[in-house]
Amino acid sequence: EMAEEEFRRQNFLINNSDLRLTEETEGAEGRLSPTSAERNDYEQQESAGLERFLSLHWNEINRRHNLLNCVRNDTYVVGNDGGDEDDDGDEYEDEDEFDVDDDESRDFCQRLWYFFANMCCNTCCMCWCIWCGMCAIAQEHRHLAKVLPNTPSLWQRDYITMQPWSDYFPSILALRNSENMSFWAHCKALSHLSSKLVKACGIFLLFAVLLTLFLPVQYEKWQLGIMFGALVLPIVILFFTYWYWNRLDVSLDAIVKYFSSGFFLCTSMVLVYEFVASMLVSIVVVTYSFLGTLVLVLFGEVDIDNFSDVSIDEESFFDVMAPPDMGGNTTTTHAANEAENTLQVPTSFVLTIAVLGALLNAFGVAALVEEVFKYLSFWMVEHPDMENSVSLVQLPPDNTNDVRSSGEDSELLPAGTEPPTHSSVDPSAESSSKHPISLESRGAAITVSMIAVATGFACAENLLYVFVYTESNLAAETTTLILRALFPVHPLCAAIQSIAVVQRDVEKDRSVGVGRIIWVAFLLHGSFDFVLMAYSAIMGILNGDDESKTDAEEETTVADWIVFGCSLLIPLIGLEYYFYQARKQTKRLVDLDTGRVSSSQQVGEEPERAIV
């Protein structure tokens, strides 16, 4: 791959006759080096070639990256027009390296693959059955990064739609430079990918309304209102955190993409990894229960004479040993009470198992998995608002009020500078139509984007809790939705994470790692979940005793208020911690911005422009 890249570079130098032979200042040998104009022409040719390839093979690329599809075998056409011609003028196809025609050149693995491949689809229809083809995107990205030139126009584009950033980012910059606050103008500046995401959401909501109101389905009409109520909560949070205060720090296009990353990517990954983590936690709890029971038997604390009388099926046994699940389900406590009464296990031991299970589920399953993947879902999104350099972006003139995406007369600005952002620092030397680069604004953009990811994940989680984990009646679903709306833990933890992310990426503190980023949010989230899970498990076990049911009910009323107060206190502590750290960080960023402007003025240079 390195040889191929070097060959392409040398081929470019040789085939351009107008290249100049330049002498290096410190050496006697001359070397061929393209001028900036020639390099730009080359990059434009590469970009045009990529656009043409994508247009010719778009359907094939989509089929290879669907969940389940049938695609033609692994041959690719060589040449600009779909194939190369040999000496006789006939087109030919060059097969992949693993499909070797010479039987003697194959090793054992290639022979085995060739044998099985020709037993099924490749022989009868010359196609392959692809399952989860999108899983190869990361591998393809790493491979392409090695074999393709490091041309920004090739890489700075959206996934799925493959739209270059230069098509829509100038419109975003025009809105920011003109301080256009119109919601409709920001909507018109959306990229193709964001537009498709918004339209897909609208189509889904319209389909849900039609399905509920006009078709004879089993869903109740009031469930439609519950669904819209679950969708209103993230809108309210984003209205205040983004639109009301920070709409010029980060674009609406970025908010749509980050929200979608949290809703789709983060939710799907969390469901899978929480299932795996919950299985590991269950194994730990079962092992602890088994060993603890053996210890109690050895010390004579448990009467094993009636052990054979216990009739618990496999599912009930799992429920005895495992704590209530993440949804706070307490239906499994009846089996725990049955085992406690039959085996005569001390109540303190059963409560210890419940608290241990709640602790592991709260911190090891919920907090750790969700906080890690919320950070990863933010990190996975690539957007020009968050990049330090965006090349070949066509900027509109400063005096225009139009939203323009491209044009031949637009100015091509060099890479190596940072995107413009709204700033509280406004040096007098700066033009009124341009915003200086503000570290404070970049920090606000990171915070709002991480909150958008967490809000998307919280929206999907609320829908799951309301329509899957909760009993299907109006009172139960409404109560669940209201309680989850009162405790926006996910956006709060994301804001706390953003403090460390800004410290690492904006303040350039390289000592900040992933552990420091998620540590405080992990403790806050785990403590909040532990209080609810432990209380649910303990009260479920205590209320299972029929003889003390009345007393337990009286104690539950007081305990409910105590737990409710703790549930309010933990987010309030986290909120105070965030504001305290945010105020300190904002002061540091403003000082850095002021220092940058002052140093530029002292050396007689203009302050840094908002140039991309």
Side-chain angles (χ1 to χ4, degrees), residues 241-310:
T241 57
Y242 163 63
W243 187 255
Y244 190 75
W245 284 308
N246 301 291
R247 77 180 76 176
L248 293 179
D249 293 316
V250 62
S251 62
L252 180 63
D253 179 79
I255 295 299
V256 171
K257 292 174 180 176
Y258 281 109
F259 181 89
S260 302
S261 176
F263 190 91
F264 296 106
L265 300 180
C266 185
T267 303
S268 58
M269 291 186 296
V270 164
L271 289 176
V272 173
Y273 283 90
E274 277 189 349
F275 174 77
V276 176
S278 63
M279 292 298 101
L280 297 177
V281 168
S282 300
I283 294 174
V284 173
V285 175
V286 169
T287 303
Y288 174 83
S289 304
F290 177 75
L291 296 177
T293 304
L294 289 180
V295 172
L296 292 176
V297 170
L298 292 176
F299 284 91
E301 297 292 335
V302 176
D303 186 7
I304 61 174
D305 294 336
N306 298 327
F307 186 80
S308 59
D309 297 334
V310 181

Side-chain angles (χ1 to χ4, degrees), residues 156-158 163-170 382-384 387 390:
Q156 294 179 347
R157 59 182 65 236
D158 292 339
Q163 182 186 14
W165 291 355
S166 58
D167 282 357
Y168 63 87
F169 194 49
E382 294 181 355
H383 194 272
E387 294 296 323
V390 180

Side-chain angles (χ1 to χ4, degrees), residues 376-397:
L376 291 179
S377 298
F378 163 77
W379 180 76
M380 287 188 296
V381 178
E382 294 181 355
H383 194 272
D385 280 344
M386 299 297 169
E387 294 296 323
N388 291 328
S389 61
V390 180
S391 299
L392 297 179
V393 172
Q394 299 176 350
L395 288 178

Side-chain angles (χ1 to χ4, degrees), residues 165-199:
W165 291 355
S166 58
D167 282 357
Y168 63 87
F169 194 49
S171 303
I172 295 174
L173 294 180
L175 294 175
R176 193 169 296 161
N177 293 333
S178 61
E179 297 187 356
N180 192 331
M181 301 295 184
S182 171
F183 177 74
W184 178 244
H186 283 263
C187 290
K188 291 194 297 183
L190 292 178
S191 62
H192 295 336
L193 178 58
S194 297
S195 299
K196 289 179 180 292
L197 291 171
V198 173
K199 291 177 182 177

Side-chain angles (χ1 to χ4, degrees), residues 1-11:
E1 293 167 355
M2 296 177 61
E4 180 183 354
E5 182 177 357
E6 179 65 19
F7 172 78
R8 294 183 63 179
R9 189 183 70 85
Q10 294 293 341
N11 189 47

Side-chain angles (χ1 to χ4, degrees), residues 26 84 93 119 154 184 360 473 524 540 542 584 598:
E26 298 180 358
D84 282 351
E93 290 185 346
M119 290 179 60
L154 295 178
W184 178 244
L360 294 178
N473 61 73
L524 177 69
L542 295 179
K584 292 175 57 179
S598 300

Side-chain angles (χ1 to χ4, degrees), residues 102-137:
D102 188 6
D103 187 68
E104 296 180 356
S105 61
R106 299 194 190 106
D107 58 18
F108 174 77
C109 292
Q110 291 174 337
R111 291 173 185 269
L112 191 64
W113 162 253
Y114 187 80
F115 172 76
F116 284 107
N118 287 277
M119 290 179 60
C120 48
C121 299
N122 189 39
T123 300
C124 62
C125 62
M126 300 300 293
C127 290
W128 302 110
C129 183
I130 301 296
W131 174 257
C132 292
M134 76 284 294
C135 298
I137 291 180

